[in-house]
Amino acid sequence: MDPSRTADAESAATAVGEPLVIIDHVNKHFGELHVLKDINTTVARGEVVVVIGPSGSGKSTLCRAINRLETIDSGTITIDGAVMPKEGADLARLRADVGMVFQSFNLFAHKTILENVTLGPRKVRHRSAADAKARGMQLLERVGVADQAGKMPSQLSGGQQQRVAIARALAMDPKLILLDEPTSALDPEMISEVLDVMVGLAHDGMTMVVVTHEMGFARKAADRVLFMADGEIVEEATPEVFFANPQTPRAKDFLSKILTH
């Protein structure tokens, strides 16, 4: 590992808070393909970490491994002092503290927007219907779709649905939110409305791990950028350092292709 990567990462992380997520020597294979190769990194409390890199680099697998949507072959992932268990009630409890926003929204098609947002707090957090509804409306207002609360997901645009998905994740009062390519299924004009919500969350101090191709978001909202290639974290630095002065040929090549188009 490049020593400068470690120094940059430590300076970025210490500016935020103590580690909330610790990823320690994590490996993952899909058959013969080694998709995560001895991954080591931390995410500090209140930090926004943006994971970028070419397709097939392991970004989404890493994101999904943090809450065990993908199992790992070796290593450990610790969230707020507790090691992620492989299965069972302990895993469900820990997962409730980790919000997830997917590329494809994953809203319940047969439930209204408000019902989508209140289901988790009622069933998992055991909040009363009235409390869940009040909080749900507050969050829908925050993401700009409160006027859509009674509609079904199919009646909303993709950008609106993704903002509902973010509100649904927030409704569980998570310690951490994972966002896996949250804008890649959206039309260009809808991307900015979702990114605006994400920037707002970042400014509010939400701990976030974001896999994205949106370099503008990385520049604006990230505390730290992880650049992945071929299953490895190749570079790790603040956005200012990474975009202005990438250290490795792999990162320089990647940036030269995406920043000139």
Side-chain angles (χ1 to χ4, degrees):
M1 181 167 59
D2 184 344
S4 66
R5 165 168 111 70
T6 307
D8 287 333
E10 287 177 353
S11 64
T14 52
V16 185
E18 74 277 8
L20 179 66
V21 181
I22 301 172
I23 299 171
D24 185 25
H25 294 290
V26 165
N27 286 274
K28 168 71 177 178
H29 293 77
F30 289 127
E32 295 294 310
L33 188 62
H34 197 173
V35 290
L36 296 178
K37 301 175 182 175
D38 203 39
I39 300 292
N40 293 281
T41 193
T42 63
V43 179
R45 198 178 301 275
E47 187 179 23
V48 178
V49 175
V50 172
V51 187
I52 65 173
S55 296
S57 58
K59 308 182 301 294
S60 289
T61 303
L62 177 61
C63 184
R64 292 167 64 85
I66 292 174
N67 69 347
R68 287 277 183 186
L69 285 177
E70 291 287 0
T71 58
I72 57 176
D73 299 330
S74 62
T76 58
I77 297 174
T78 304
I79 297 178
D80 205 12
V83 175
M84 257 307 195
K86 292 184 178 178
E87 56 189 20
D90 288 341
L91 175 59
R93 274 194 293 274
L94 208 49
R95 231 185 226 160
D97 290 332
V98 182
M100 185 88 194
V101 178
F102 300 89
Q103 177 178 337
S104 54
F105 322 140
N106 284 18
L107 299 176
F108 292 112
H110 62 290
K111 293 186 178 296
T112 67
I113 296 310
L114 183 59
E115 287 169 344
N116 266 277
V117 173
T118 58
L119 184 64
R122 289 174 51 227
K123 298 293 187 183
V124 179
R125 300 291 194 202
H126 306 296
R127 302 230 171 96
S128 71
D131 285 349
K133 180 178 180 181
R135 174 71 171 147
M137 287 304 299
Q138 180 185 39
L139 289 169
L140 290 175
E141 184 74 44
R142 179 178 181 179
V143 300
V145 290
D147 57 337
Q148 311 292 325
K151 293 184 178 179
M152 309 302 281
S154 61
Q155 295 176 280
L156 272 61
S157 70
Q160 289 173 323
Q161 289 187 60
Q162 194 60 294
R163 285 185 281 158
V164 172
I166 293 172
R168 179 177 62 179
L170 291 171
M172 295 291 286
D173 296 321
K175 297 174 180 177
L176 163 73
I177 292 185
L178 310 173
L179 299 103
D180 185 13
E181 302 275 17
T183 59
S184 62
L186 300 176
D187 292 334
E189 67 270 19
M190 296 177 187
I191 290 173
S192 62
E193 64 190 51
V194 174
L195 291 177
D196 286 346
V197 171
M198 292 164 56
V199 169
L201 291 180
H203 290 164
D204 289 346
M206 173 59 69
T207 309
M208 300 163 66
V209 176
V210 185
V211 175
T212 186
H213 293 291
E214 297 296 331
M215 298 302 124
F217 174 79
R219 289 176 181 274
K220 184 185 296 186
D223 294 299
R224 188 157 43 103
V225 173
L226 302 188
F227 174 71
M228 293 188 69
D230 303 316
E232 298 179 291
I233 298 175
V234 178
E235 288 194 40
E236 193 169 345
T238 62
E240 295 82 6
V241 170
F242 178 76
F243 287 108
N245 188 26
Q247 298 297 304
T248 61
R250 193 74 180 83
K252 289 175 183 175
D253 179 61
F254 177 78
L255 289 174
S256 72
K257 289 174 178 173
I258 63 165
L259 297 180
T260 55
H261 293 289

